[in-house]
């Protein structure tokens, strides 16, 4: 067999194999319908890391729970956060030291959280407003002498829990 004949046999075999693999037949072929696109997943919420020396206060909704987070991780001097006590009452927050009311706090009830800290510089933060059904605002309104007071403004009674997770205070709430 000559090289030319061998080449013709090889090319013919390749062509037949390609036709067999693609299922090609005479006539026009209809393309199968494209698979339905999967619904787009919701974009993750990315909170920017707090700037050095700042306290980050943020609120969000997770199912039927609302969550408010006070993030102290950008305070390099802070070495420890311990929960001392917490309570809900109608007493509006005041700025520590001066006793002046905190303007901009929304809510008819207020969740006050008292922490003990080591190495905390004197820093306040907020108030921050939240677009949530129950939690309306948050503030770090008193931070002196190794204690810190956080306040969350609420528009209804809640069942809640307060957790310290490293340098973050996480408050989960559901309406009562």
């Amino acid at each position: 067999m000559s090289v030319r004949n061998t080449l013709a046999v090889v090319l013919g075999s390749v062509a037949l194999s390609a036709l067999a693999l693609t299922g090609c037949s005479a006539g026009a072929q209809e393309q199968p319908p494209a698979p339905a696109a999967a619904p787009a997943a919701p974009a993750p919420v990315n909170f920017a890391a707090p700037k050095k020396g700042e306290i980050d206060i943020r609120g969000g909704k997770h199912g039927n729970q609302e969550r408010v987070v006070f993030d102290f991780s950008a305070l390099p001097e802070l070495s420890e956060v311990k929960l001392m006590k917490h309570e809900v009452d109608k007493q509006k927050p005041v700025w520590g030291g001066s006793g002046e009311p905190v303007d901009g706090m929304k809510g008819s009830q207020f969740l006050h959280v008292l922490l003990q800290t080591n190495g905390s510089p004197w820093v306040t933060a907020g108030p921050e407003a939240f677009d949530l059904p129950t939690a309306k605002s948050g503030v770090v309104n008193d931070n002196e002498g190794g204690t810190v007071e956080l306040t969350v403004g609420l528009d209804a009674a809640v069942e809640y829990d307060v957790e310290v997770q490293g340098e973050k205070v996480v408050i989960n709430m559901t309406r009562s």
Side-chain angles (χ1 to χ4, degrees), residues 38 86 111 141 165 172:
H86 48 82
L111 169 58
N141 53 297
Q165 298 176 356
N172 291 308

Side-chain angles (χ1 to χ4, degrees), residues 13 43 45 57 85 95 101 116:
S13 296
V45 176
I57 305 170
K85 70 176 187 173
W95 292 113
Q116 180 181 6

Side-chain angles (χ1 to χ4, degrees), residues 85-134:
K85 70 176 187 173
H86 48 82
E87 66 182 346
V88 175
D89 59 31
K90 294 188 182 286
Q91 183 178 346
K92 293 184 177 187
V94 296
W95 292 113
S98 73
E100 293 293 318
V102 176
D103 291 332
M105 283 297 289
K106 298 177 183 179
S108 58
Q109 300 181 49
F110 300 92
L111 169 58
H112 302 274
V113 179
L114 189 62
L115 307 170
Q116 180 181 6
T117 63
N118 290 337
S120 173
W122 195 87
V123 178
T124 59
E128 295 291 329
F130 309 126
D131 187 20
L132 297 171
T134 307

Side-chain angles (χ1 to χ4, degrees), residues 3-147:
V3 174
R4 181 181 256 178
N5 288 342
T6 303
L7 184 58
V9 169
V10 169
L11 290 176
S13 296
V14 169
L16 285 174
S17 296
L19 287 174
L21 288 174
T22 61
C24 186
S25 64
Q29 293 288 317
E30 287 187 30
Q31 294 293 326
V45 176
N46 293 319
F47 292 106
K51 294 178 184 173
K52 186 175 180 178
E54 291 184 2
I55 300 168
D56 184 31
I57 305 170
R58 58 188 182 264
K61 193 158 173 26
H62 303 275
N64 67 340
Q65 282 195 327
E66 293 178 42
R67 176 176 291 166
V68 175
V69 177
F70 292 85
D71 186 347
F72 295 90
S73 63
L75 299 178
E77 300 87 2
L78 187 72
S79 60
E80 189 174 5
V81 178
K82 289 183 182 178
L83 180 62
M84 293 174 60
K85 70 176 187 173
H86 48 82
E87 66 182 346
V88 175
D89 59 31
K90 294 188 182 286
Q91 183 178 346
K92 293 184 177 187
V94 296
W95 292 113
S98 73
E100 293 293 318
V102 176
D103 291 332
M105 283 297 289
K106 298 177 183 179
S108 58
Q109 300 181 49
F110 300 92
L111 169 58
H112 302 274
V113 179
L114 189 62
L115 307 170
Q116 180 181 6
T117 63
N118 290 337
S120 173
W122 195 87
V123 178
T124 59
E128 295 291 329
F130 309 126
D131 187 20
L132 297 171
T134 307
K136 297 299 181 186
S137 55
V139 67
V140 177
N141 53 297
D142 192 0
N143 180 1
E144 59 183 299
T147 62

